[in-house]
């Protein structure tokens, strides 16, 4: 069996995205990768997971893409940074996989979430897979860092029933230190979604010493409330579950000594969002 054929046999489903997966797409020729990115007929996925209740409304099937241009210091899935770590999956295979869950997802008022990594690194594949899901009557959500939002046309945004937008920090310098990238395009995408009244949830990771400053939370809360299209805010406490991946990948993990925030600190951040009239959990 050729290396390519073996890849088509690899199981897509993982128990959780915390499974470490590396180099699964390394044998795909560069020209095939370029064609895949241009056409969206093939994508690179870390895995599919089922039964999520935290990645959108109801119970969700989540496809985790590989490839991300951010380098968040707290990232719990750094194996998704590199596209070639993912399994090459044709659009047909991903669609067949999704179809298996169609009836169950409807019963559980759930849907399909495309997450990563950063799914818009593979924007053509993302659009085609989300469109296929929507055409099956499955609720669709995109979990994104937002900075590549300009890759989607307004018509393509209609294929996404809900955008889960991560806002990582308000302060531009702190955002750069935390992610290696600019916050401006993220906020621009949020404004665009608001202008076109697309449903949106905001996700905010509370990292002690990095994002928990009351002023930072207050500014994000104020901005989020001003948009008018945000249905809910998820305040996600920093955790250490991905620490082993940084070690395995020989990456410099700078947050090794950071403790998860105390419950009252998380509650305080939620209260700041609620004070702006938002639903926060
Ligand atoms: S945007 Fe997400 S996947 Fe990318 S580095 Fe940050 S936390 Fe990790």
């Amino acid at each position: 069996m050729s290396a390519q054929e073996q890849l088509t046999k690899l199981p897509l489903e993982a128990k959780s995205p915390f499974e470490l997966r590396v180099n699964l797409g390394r044998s795909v020729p560069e020209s095939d990768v370029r064609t895949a990115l241009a056409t969206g007929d093939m994508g690179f996925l870390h895995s599919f997971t089922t039964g999520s209740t935290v990645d959108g409304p109801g119970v969700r099937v989540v496809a985790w893409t590989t490839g991300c241009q951010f380098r968040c210091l707290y990232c719990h899935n750094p194996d998704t940074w590199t596209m070639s770590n993912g399994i090459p999956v044709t659009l047909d295979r991903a669609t067949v996989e999704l179809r298996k869950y169609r009836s169950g997802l409807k019963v559980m008022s759930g849907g399909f979430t495309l997450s990563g990594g950063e799914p818009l690194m593979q924007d053509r594949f993302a659009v085609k897979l989300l469109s296929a899901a929507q055409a099956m009557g499955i609720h669709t959500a995109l979990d994104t860092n937002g900075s590549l939002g300009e890759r989607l046309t307004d018509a393509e945004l209609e294929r996404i029933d809900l955008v889960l937008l991560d806002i990582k920090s308000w302060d531009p310098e702190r955002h750069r230190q935390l992610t290696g990238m600019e916050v401006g395009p993220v906020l621009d995408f949020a404004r665009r979604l608001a202008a076109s009244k697309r449903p949106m949830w905001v996700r905010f990771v509370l990292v002690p010493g990095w994002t928990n400053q009351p002023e930072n939370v207050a500014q994000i809360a104020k901005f989020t409330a001003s948009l008018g299209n945000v249905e809910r805010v998820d305040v996600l406490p920093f955790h250490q579950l991905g620490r082993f991946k940084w070690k395995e990948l020989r990456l410099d993990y700078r947050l090794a000594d950071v403790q998860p925030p105390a419950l009252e600190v998380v509650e305080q951040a939620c209260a700041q969002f609620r004070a702006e009239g938002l639903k926060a959990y």
Side-chain angles (χ1 to χ4, degrees):
M1 197 186 291
S2 71
Q4 292 280 14
E5 283 168 336
Q6 283 174 11
L7 287 170
T8 64
K9 307 284 179 214
L10 280 176
L12 289 180
E13 191 164 340
K15 286 193 183 66
S16 90
F18 292 109
E19 280 185 19
L20 180 70
R21 294 187 165 185
V22 291
N23 291 335
L24 298 173
R26 185 160 276 184
S27 64
V28 179
E30 187 58 36
S31 58
D32 289 6
V33 175
R34 276 200 299 273
T35 305
L37 290 175
T39 64
D41 291 336
M42 185 172 79
F44 292 82
L45 296 181
H46 174 280
S47 57
F48 266 81
T49 55
T50 56
S52 166
T53 54
V54 295
D55 296 296
V59 178
R60 318 289 296 181
V61 168
V62 184
W64 306 90
T65 59
T66 49
C68 186
Q69 80 287 41
F70 278 32
R71 291 291 178 266
C72 301
L73 298 181
Y74 57 76
C75 183
H76 55 235
N77 285 319
D79 50 337
T80 65
W81 290 351
T82 309
M83 207 170 294
S84 62
N85 277 349
I87 304 172
V89 180
T90 62
L91 182 67
D92 285 348
R93 185 181 180 199
T95 308
V96 166
E97 184 75 12
L98 207 45
R99 190 171 288 121
K100 291 198 290 197
Y101 303 105
R102 178 171 52 171
S103 311
L105 290 175
K106 276 190 188 160
V107 171
M108 293 182 288
S109 305
F112 170 60
T113 301
L114 191 63
S115 185
E118 170 47 51
L120 296 184
M121 291 285 284
Q122 307 181 47
D123 53 288
R124 294 305 88 198
F125 181 72
V127 166
K128 285 190 172 179
L129 186 54
L130 289 163
S131 301
Q134 203 184 53
M136 282 186 248
I138 297 173
H139 177 275
T140 57
L142 172 74
D143 178 19
T144 178
N145 65 36
S147 68
L148 299 175
E150 84 287 348
R151 291 187 175 187
L152 302 180
T153 66
D154 289 346
E156 288 165 352
L157 284 179
E158 302 275 333
R159 307 275 79 80
I160 303 165
D161 297 315
L162 175 69
V163 173
L164 310 175
L165 181 70
D166 303 328
I167 300 182
K168 293 163 191 294
S169 178
W170 181 260
D171 177 69
E173 181 53 30
R174 180 52 61 95
H175 192 278
R176 235 173 268 131
Q177 291 169 1
L178 191 63
T179 71
M181 300 296 285
E182 301 294 328
V183 69
V186 180
L187 304 182
D188 287 347
F189 187 48
R191 292 185 189 100
R192 181 176 162 211
L193 290 168
S196 52
K197 301 192 174 12
R198 301 303 304 159
M200 186 171 131
W201 292 7
V202 163
R203 304 178 115 189
F204 170 64
V205 181
L206 197 68
V207 190
W210 282 89
T211 67
N212 65 323
Q213 300 79 0
E215 181 60 16
N216 185 47
V217 180
Q219 294 282 9
I220 295 175
K222 202 167 160 199
F223 172 75
T224 301
S226 75
L227 295 170
N229 64 327
V230 178
E231 298 174 350
R232 149 181 183 146
V233 178
D234 285 324
V235 177
L236 308 171
F238 165 77
H239 59 72
Q240 292 282 8
L241 293 176
R243 183 177 178 163
F244 81 99
K245 290 192 174 184
W246 287 74
K247 192 167 174 224
E248 291 289 325
L249 297 168
R250 299 175 193 277
L251 295 166
D252 178 23
Y253 186 47
R254 293 170 56 195
L255 303 194
D257 295 329
V258 176
Q259 299 298 314
L263 202 59
E264 53 270 26
V265 176
V266 178
E267 194 41 51
Q268 171 60 33
C270 287
Q272 286 188 268
F273 283 101
R274 289 186 198 121
E276 294 288 344
L278 296 156
K279 285 186 192 154
Y281 302 92

mmCIF file of all heavy atoms in Angstrom, residues 48-63 98 101-114 130 133-134 136-142 161-162:
data_model
loop_
_atom_site.group_PDB
_atom_site.id
_atom_site.type_symbol
_atom_site.label_atom_id
_atom_site.label_comp_id
_atom_site.label_asym_id
_atom_site.label_seq_id
_atom_site.Cartn_x
_atom_site.Cartn_y
_atom_site.Cartn_z
ATOM 1 N N PHE A 48 -11.462 14.410 13.874
ATOM 2 C CA PHE A 48 -12.859 14.697 14.190
ATOM 3 C C PHE A 48 -13.064 14.262 15.646
ATOM 4 O O PHE A 48 -12.542 13.214 16.047
ATOM 5 C CB PHE A 48 -13.808 13.832 13.344
ATOM 6 C CG PHE A 48 -14.293 14.467 12.080
ATOM 7 C CD1 PHE A 48 -13.508 14.481 10.941
ATOM 8 C CD2 PHE A 48 -15.563 15.028 11.999
ATOM 9 C CE1 PHE A 48 -13.956 15.036 9.753
ATOM 10 C CE2 PHE A 48 -16.029 15.596 10.817
ATOM 11 C CZ PHE A 48 -15.217 15.596 9.689
ATOM 12 N N THR A 49 -13.803 15.046 16.418
ATOM 13 C CA THR A 49 -14.229 14.560 17.732
ATOM 14 C C THR A 49 -15.741 14.733 17.825
ATOM 15 O O THR A 49 -16.319 15.582 17.131
ATOM 16 C CB THR A 49 -13.550 15.309 18.905
ATOM 17 O OG1 THR A 49 -13.785 16.710 18.761
ATOM 18 C CG2 THR A 49 -12.062 15.044 18.934
ATOM 19 N N THR A 50 -16.359 13.923 18.666
ATOM 20 C CA THR A 50 -17.816 13.985 18.805
ATOM 21 C C THR A 50 -18.173 14.305 20.252
ATOM 22 O O THR A 50 -17.354 14.160 21.156
ATOM 23 C CB THR A 50 -18.459 12.635 18.435
ATOM 24 O OG1 THR A 50 -17.866 11.618 19.250
ATOM 25 C CG2 THR A 50 -18.232 12.287 16.979
ATOM 26 N N GLY A 51 -19.404 14.755 20.436
ATOM 27 C CA GLY A 51 -19.933 14.922 21.797
ATOM 28 C C GLY A 51 -19.507 16.193 22.496
ATOM 29 O O GLY A 51 -19.692 16.326 23.710
ATOM 30 N N SER A 52 -18.963 17.172 21.773
ATOM 31 C CA SER A 52 -18.571 18.418 22.444
ATOM 32 C C SER A 52 -19.808 19.228 22.821
ATOM 33 O O SER A 52 -20.738 19.371 22.033
ATOM 34 C CB SER A 52 -17.687 19.260 21.519
ATOM 35 O OG SER A 52 -17.581 20.575 22.048
ATOM 36 N N THR A 53 -19.790 19.780 24.025
ATOM 37 C CA THR A 53 -20.877 20.681 24.434
ATOM 38 C C THR A 53 -20.349 22.095 24.676
ATOM 39 O O THR A 53 -21.036 22.927 25.252
ATOM 40 C CB THR A 53 -21.545 20.155 25.721
ATOM 41 O OG1 THR A 53 -20.524 19.961 26.701
ATOM 42 C CG2 THR A 53 -22.282 18.853 25.479
ATOM 43 N N VAL A 54 -19.111 22.353 24.238
ATOM 44 C CA VAL A 54 -18.517 23.673 24.509
ATOM 45 C C VAL A 54 -18.102 24.413 23.237
ATOM 46 O O VAL A 54 -17.522 25.495 23.324
ATOM 47 C CB VAL A 54 -17.279 23.542 25.446
ATOM 48 C CG1 VAL A 54 -17.677 23.049 26.805
ATOM 49 C CG2 VAL A 54 -16.222 22.630 24.833
ATOM 50 N N ASP A 55 -18.399 23.860 22.092
ATOM 51 C CA ASP A 55 -17.945 24.486 20.832
ATOM 52 C C ASP A 55 -19.119 24.944 19.971
ATOM 53 O O ASP A 55 -19.100 24.774 18.751
ATOM 54 C CB ASP A 55 -17.048 23.512 20.065
ATOM 55 C CG ASP A 55 -15.776 23.188 20.815
ATOM 56 O OD1 ASP A 55 -14.972 24.118 21.017
ATOM 57 O OD2 ASP A 55 -15.593 22.037 21.230
ATOM 58 N N GLY A 56 -20.114 25.532 20.637
ATOM 59 C CA GLY A 56 -21.313 25.967 19.933
ATOM 60 C C GLY A 56 -22.534 25.385 20.613
ATOM 61 O O GLY A 56 -22.411 24.629 21.590
ATOM 62 N N PRO A 57 -23.733 25.724 20.112
ATOM 63 C CA PRO A 57 -24.955 25.269 20.783
ATOM 64 C C PRO A 57 -25.190 23.771 20.633
ATOM 65 O O PRO A 57 -24.884 23.181 19.599
ATOM 66 C CB PRO A 57 -26.058 26.072 20.075
ATOM 67 C CG PRO A 57 -25.462 26.509 18.788
ATOM 68 C CD PRO A 57 -23.989 26.609 18.986
ATOM 69 N N GLY A 58 -25.748 23.160 21.677
ATOM 70 C CA GLY A 58 -26.089 21.743 21.626
ATOM 71 C C GLY A 58 -24.850 20.868 21.624
ATOM 72 O O GLY A 58 -23.762 21.284 22.014
ATOM 73 N N VAL A 59 -25.038 19.651 21.148
ATOM 74 C CA VAL A 59 -23.918 18.699 21.086
ATOM 75 C C VAL A 59 -23.289 18.801 19.696
ATOM 76 O O VAL A 59 -23.996 18.777 18.686
ATOM 77 C CB VAL A 59 -24.423 17.267 21.359
ATOM 78 C CG1 VAL A 59 -23.282 16.268 21.255
ATOM 79 C CG2 VAL A 59 -25.069 17.204 22.740
ATOM 80 N N ARG A 60 -21.959 18.880 19.646
ATOM 81 C CA ARG A 60 -21.290 19.176 18.387
ATOM 82 C C ARG A 60 -20.330 18.071 17.947
ATOM 83 O O ARG A 60 -19.668 17.438 18.776
ATOM 84 C CB ARG A 60 -20.431 20.451 18.490
ATOM 85 C CG ARG A 60 -21.009 21.623 19.225
ATOM 86 C CD ARG A 60 -22.116 22.307 18.518
ATOM 87 N NE ARG A 60 -21.745 22.934 17.253
ATOM 88 C CZ ARG A 60 -22.625 23.615 16.495
ATOM 89 N NH1 ARG A 60 -23.889 23.741 16.883
ATOM 90 N NH2 ARG A 60 -22.265 24.136 15.349
ATOM 91 N N VAL A 61 -20.267 17.900 16.648
ATOM 92 C CA VAL A 61 -19.133 17.219 16.028
ATOM 93 C C VAL A 61 -18.147 18.320 15.656
ATOM 94 O O VAL A 61 -18.549 19.352 15.105
ATOM 95 C CB VAL A 61 -19.567 16.442 14.768
ATOM 96 C CG1 VAL A 61 -18.354 15.991 13.965
ATOM 97 C CG2 VAL A 61 -20.397 15.234 15.161
ATOM 98 N N VAL A 62 -16.892 18.116 15.980
ATOM 99 C CA VAL A 62 -15.881 19.146 15.691
ATOM 100 C C VAL A 62 -14.807 18.551 14.786
ATOM 101 O O VAL A 62 -14.293 17.460 15.052
ATOM 102 C CB VAL A 62 -15.222 19.674 16.989
ATOM 103 C CG1 VAL A 62 -14.248 20.807 16.658
ATOM 104 C CG2 VAL A 62 -16.274 20.145 17.987
ATOM 105 N N ALA A 63 -14.497 19.248 13.716
ATOM 106 C CA ALA A 63 -13.338 18.897 12.886
ATOM 107 C C ALA A 63 -12.237 19.901 13.218
ATOM 108 O O ALA A 63 -12.461 21.111 13.165
ATOM 109 C CB ALA A 63 -13.682 18.952 11.405
ATOM 110 N N LEU A 98 -19.224 13.342 8.151
ATOM 111 C CA LEU A 98 -20.216 14.241 8.774
ATOM 112 C C LEU A 98 -21.636 13.693 8.638
ATOM 113 O O LEU A 98 -22.455 13.795 9.557
ATOM 114 C CB LEU A 98 -20.096 15.598 8.079
ATOM 115 C CG LEU A 98 -20.482 16.842 8.835
ATOM 116 C CD1 LEU A 98 -19.920 16.852 10.239
ATOM 117 C CD2 LEU A 98 -19.985 18.049 8.048
ATOM 118 N N TYR A 101 -23.363 11.599 11.278
ATOM 119 C CA TYR A 101 -23.860 12.191 12.521
ATOM 120 C C TYR A 101 -25.090 13.075 12.304
ATOM 121 O O TYR A 101 -25.611 13.654 13.243
ATOM 122 C CB TYR A 101 -22.764 13.050 13.168
ATOM 123 C CG TYR A 101 -21.500 12.280 13.436
ATOM 124 C CD1 TYR A 101 -20.371 12.453 12.639
ATOM 125 C CD2 TYR A 101 -21.433 11.363 14.477
ATOM 126 C CE1 TYR A 101 -19.205 11.741 12.881
ATOM 127 C CE2 TYR A 101 -20.270 10.646 14.730
ATOM 128 C CZ TYR A 101 -19.164 10.843 13.920
ATOM 129 O OH TYR A 101 -18.012 10.127 14.169
ATOM 130 N N ARG A 102 -25.530 13.200 11.052
ATOM 131 C CA ARG A 102 -26.567 14.177 10.720
ATOM 132 C C ARG A 102 -27.818 14.029 11.592
ATOM 133 O O ARG A 102 -28.260 14.994 12.221
ATOM 134 C CB ARG A 102 -26.934 14.059 9.241
ATOM 135 C CG ARG A 102 -28.033 15.009 8.822
ATOM 136 C CD ARG A 102 -28.216 15.035 7.342
ATOM 137 N NE ARG A 102 -28.383 13.709 6.769
ATOM 138 C CZ ARG A 102 -28.736 13.469 5.516
ATOM 139 N NH1 ARG A 102 -28.929 14.488 4.699
ATOM 140 N NH2 ARG A 102 -28.881 12.263 5.060
ATOM 141 N N SER A 103 -28.370 12.824 11.645
ATOM 142 C CA SER A 103 -29.623 12.633 12.386
ATOM 143 C C SER A 103 -29.425 12.888 13.876
ATOM 144 O O SER A 103 -30.220 13.589 14.505
ATOM 145 C CB SER A 103 -30.151 11.210 12.204
ATOM 146 O OG SER A 103 -30.149 10.883 10.856
ATOM 147 N N GLY A 104 -28.336 12.342 14.421
ATOM 148 C CA GLY A 104 -28.068 12.499 15.855
ATOM 149 C C GLY A 104 -27.917 13.965 16.239
ATOM 150 O O GLY A 104 -28.420 14.410 17.267
ATOM 151 N N LEU A 105 -27.232 14.716 15.397
ATOM 152 C CA LEU A 105 -27.014 16.130 15.704
ATOM 153 C C LEU A 105 -28.328 16.896 15.728
ATOM 154 O O LEU A 105 -28.530 17.787 16.546
ATOM 155 C CB LEU A 105 -26.058 16.754 14.677
ATOM 156 C CG LEU A 105 -24.609 16.283 14.756
ATOM 157 C CD1 LEU A 105 -23.782 16.861 13.624
ATOM 158 C CD2 LEU A 105 -23.990 16.664 16.107
ATOM 159 N N LYS A 106 -29.228 16.528 14.819
ATOM 160 C CA LYS A 106 -30.529 17.214 14.786
ATOM 161 C C LYS A 106 -31.300 16.924 16.072
ATOM 162 O O LYS A 106 -31.862 17.826 16.684
ATOM 163 C CB LYS A 106 -31.326 16.756 13.573
ATOM 164 C CG LYS A 106 -30.929 17.539 12.334
ATOM 165 C CD LYS A 106 -31.867 17.271 11.204
ATOM 166 C CE LYS A 106 -31.305 17.928 9.948
ATOM 167 N NZ LYS A 106 -31.842 17.382 8.730
ATOM 168 N N VAL A 107 -31.297 15.643 16.477
ATOM 169 C CA VAL A 107 -32.024 15.243 17.700
ATOM 170 C C VAL A 107 -31.472 16.022 18.900
ATOM 171 O O VAL A 107 -32.218 16.426 19.789
ATOM 172 C CB VAL A 107 -31.886 13.717 17.926
ATOM 173 C CG1 VAL A 107 -32.425 13.311 19.284
ATOM 174 C CG2 VAL A 107 -32.595 12.944 16.824
ATOM 175 N N MET A 108 -30.157 16.222 18.920
ATOM 176 C CA MET A 108 -29.529 16.866 20.084
ATOM 177 C C MET A 108 -29.381 18.380 19.905
ATOM 178 O O MET A 108 -28.629 19.014 20.649
ATOM 179 C CB MET A 108 -28.163 16.232 20.329
ATOM 180 C CG MET A 108 -28.283 14.769 20.763
ATOM 181 S SD MET A 108 -26.720 13.980 21.109
ATOM 182 C CE MET A 108 -26.042 13.785 19.466
ATOM 183 N N SER A 109 -30.108 18.928 18.930
ATOM 184 C CA SER A 109 -30.052 20.377 18.654
ATOM 185 C C SER A 109 -28.616 20.871 18.567
ATOM 186 O O SER A 109 -28.282 21.961 19.045
ATOM 187 C CB SER A 109 -30.787 21.169 19.742
ATOM 188 O OG SER A 109 -32.089 20.713 19.884
ATOM 189 N N GLY A 110 -27.775 20.044 17.976
ATOM 190 C CA GLY A 110 -26.368 20.401 17.895
ATOM 191 C C GLY A 110 -25.969 20.812 16.501
ATOM 192 O O GLY A 110 -26.746 21.405 15.755
ATOM 193 N N GLY A 111 -24.762 20.455 16.145
ATOM 194 C CA GLY A 111 -24.287 20.849 14.831
ATOM 195 C C GLY A 111 -22.825 20.512 14.642
ATOM 196 O O GLY A 111 -22.243 19.718 15.389
ATOM 197 N N PHE A 112 -22.264 21.156 13.636
ATOM 198 C CA PHE A 112 -20.880 20.906 13.242
ATOM 199 C C PHE A 112 -20.060 22.170 13.463
ATOM 200 O O PHE A 112 -20.483 23.262 13.047
ATOM 201 C CB PHE A 112 -20.842 20.518 11.760
ATOM 202 C CG PHE A 112 -19.451 20.468 11.182
ATOM 203 C CD1 PHE A 112 -18.494 19.603 11.697
ATOM 204 C CD2 PHE A 112 -19.098 21.283 10.116
ATOM 205 C CE1 PHE A 112 -17.213 19.560 11.168
ATOM 206 C CE2 PHE A 112 -17.821 21.246 9.572
ATOM 207 C CZ PHE A 112 -16.874 20.377 10.106
ATOM 208 N N THR A 113 -18.912 22.019 14.104
ATOM 209 C CA THR A 113 -18.006 23.151 14.311
ATOM 210 C C THR A 113 -16.674 22.847 13.649
ATOM 211 O O THR A 113 -16.110 21.765 13.840
ATOM 212 C CB THR A 113 -17.784 23.403 15.826
ATOM 213 O OG1 THR A 113 -19.054 23.664 16.430
ATOM 214 C CG2 THR A 113 -16.867 24.591 16.049
ATOM 215 N N LEU A 114 -16.211 23.808 12.867
ATOM 216 C CA LEU A 114 -14.881 23.690 12.272
ATOM 217 C C LEU A 114 -13.937 24.537 13.118
ATOM 218 O O LEU A 114 -14.147 25.749 13.268
ATOM 219 C CB LEU A 114 -14.900 24.170 10.824
ATOM 220 C CG LEU A 114 -13.648 23.857 10.011
ATOM 221 C CD1 LEU A 114 -13.432 22.347 9.875
ATOM 222 C CD2 LEU A 114 -13.748 24.473 8.614
ATOM 223 N N LEU A 130 -18.157 23.540 5.248
ATOM 224 C CA LEU A 130 -19.271 24.173 5.967
ATOM 225 C C LEU A 130 -20.515 24.252 5.080
ATOM 226 O O LEU A 130 -21.645 24.050 5.548
ATOM 227 C CB LEU A 130 -18.858 25.570 6.448
ATOM 228 C CG LEU A 130 -17.829 25.572 7.596
ATOM 229 C CD1 LEU A 130 -17.163 26.923 7.732
ATOM 230 C CD2 LEU A 130 -18.489 25.166 8.922
ATOM 231 N N ALA A 133 -22.108 20.846 4.994
ATOM 232 C CA ALA A 133 -22.823 20.575 6.249
ATOM 233 C C ALA A 133 -24.157 21.314 6.253
ATOM 234 O O ALA A 133 -25.210 20.739 6.580
ATOM 235 C CB ALA A 133 -21.971 21.014 7.432
ATOM 236 N N GLN A 134 -24.109 22.572 5.877
ATOM 237 C CA GLN A 134 -25.352 23.367 5.881
ATOM 238 C C GLN A 134 -26.365 22.782 4.910
ATOM 239 O O GLN A 134 -27.565 22.726 5.180
ATOM 240 C CB GLN A 134 -25.038 24.827 5.551
ATOM 241 C CG GLN A 134 -26.096 25.781 6.052
ATOM 242 C CD GLN A 134 -25.803 27.215 5.628
ATOM 243 O OE1 GLN A 134 -25.590 27.486 4.451
ATOM 244 N NE2 GLN A 134 -25.802 28.128 6.578
ATOM 245 N N MET A 136 -26.775 19.772 4.265
ATOM 246 C CA MET A 136 -27.364 18.574 4.898
ATOM 247 C C MET A 136 -28.329 18.962 6.009
ATOM 248 O O MET A 136 -28.837 18.100 6.721
ATOM 249 C CB MET A 136 -26.260 17.703 5.506
ATOM 250 C CG MET A 136 -25.498 16.854 4.538
ATOM 251 S SD MET A 136 -24.369 15.774 5.495
ATOM 252 C CE MET A 136 -22.801 16.439 5.026
ATOM 253 N N GLY A 137 -28.493 20.237 6.241
ATOM 254 C CA GLY A 137 -29.391 20.693 7.303
ATOM 255 C C GLY A 137 -28.732 20.727 8.664
ATOM 256 O O GLY A 137 -29.404 20.788 9.695
ATOM 257 N N ILE A 138 -27.394 20.689 8.679
ATOM 258 C CA ILE A 138 -26.652 20.707 9.953
ATOM 259 C C ILE A 138 -26.267 22.153 10.290
ATOM 260 O O ILE A 138 -25.752 22.885 9.433
ATOM 261 C CB ILE A 138 -25.373 19.835 9.843
ATOM 262 C CG1 ILE A 138 -25.741 18.369 9.575
ATOM 263 C CG2 ILE A 138 -24.530 19.951 11.092
ATOM 264 C CD1 ILE A 138 -24.532 17.470 9.291
ATOM 265 N N HIS A 139 -26.497 22.539 11.537
ATOM 266 C CA HIS A 139 -26.079 23.873 12.002
ATOM 267 C C HIS A 139 -24.552 23.953 11.929
ATOM 268 O O HIS A 139 -23.850 23.040 12.357
ATOM 269 C CB HIS A 139 -26.548 24.086 13.443
ATOM 270 C CG HIS A 139 -26.120 25.389 14.050
ATOM 271 N ND1 HIS A 139 -24.893 25.574 14.650
ATOM 272 C CD2 HIS A 139 -26.758 26.586 14.130
ATOM 273 C CE1 HIS A 139 -24.793 26.820 15.080
ATOM 274 N NE2 HIS A 139 -25.925 27.460 14.781
ATOM 275 N N THR A 140 -24.041 25.076 11.394
ATOM 276 C CA THR A 140 -22.597 25.191 11.193
ATOM 277 C C THR A 140 -21.991 26.314 12.038
ATOM 278 O O THR A 140 -22.587 27.385 12.176
ATOM 279 C CB THR A 140 -22.268 25.483 9.717
ATOM 280 O OG1 THR A 140 -22.948 26.675 9.310
ATOM 281 C CG2 THR A 140 -22.678 24.330 8.816
ATOM 282 N N ALA A 141 -20.824 26.024 12.584
ATOM 283 C CA ALA A 141 -20.093 27.048 13.340
ATOM 284 C C ALA A 141 -18.620 27.026 12.936
ATOM 285 O O ALA A 141 -18.069 25.966 12.627
ATOM 286 C CB ALA A 141 -20.222 26.792 14.845
ATOM 287 N N LEU A 142 -18.031 28.206 12.938
ATOM 288 C CA LEU A 142 -16.604 28.349 12.645
ATOM 289 C C LEU A 142 -15.924 28.935 13.872
ATOM 290 O O LEU A 142 -16.308 30.020 14.325
ATOM 291 C CB LEU A 142 -16.405 29.296 11.448
ATOM 292 C CG LEU A 142 -14.954 29.692 11.140
ATOM 293 C CD1 LEU A 142 -14.208 28.515 10.508
ATOM 294 C CD2 LEU A 142 -14.898 30.913 10.215
ATOM 295 N N ASP A 161 -23.469 29.490 10.240
ATOM 296 C CA ASP A 161 -24.591 29.924 11.068
ATOM 297 C C ASP A 161 -24.142 30.670 12.316
ATOM 298 O O ASP A 161 -24.892 31.457 12.874
ATOM 299 C CB ASP A 161 -25.441 28.704 11.478
ATOM 300 C CG ASP A 161 -26.058 28.020 10.258
ATOM 301 O OD1 ASP A 161 -26.594 28.734 9.383
ATOM 302 O OD2 ASP A 161 -25.972 26.773 10.156
ATOM 303 N N LEU A 162 -22.925 30.383 12.742
ATOM 304 C CA LEU A 162 -22.415 31.018 13.968
ATOM 305 C C LEU A 162 -20.896 31.109 13.879
ATOM 306 O O LEU A 162 -20.234 30.126 13.540
ATOM 307 C CB LEU A 162 -22.797 30.158 15.188
ATOM 308 C CG LEU A 162 -22.248 30.586 16.544
ATOM 309 C CD1 LEU A 162 -22.895 31.891 17.002
ATOM 310 C CD2 LEU A 162 -22.483 29.499 17.592
#
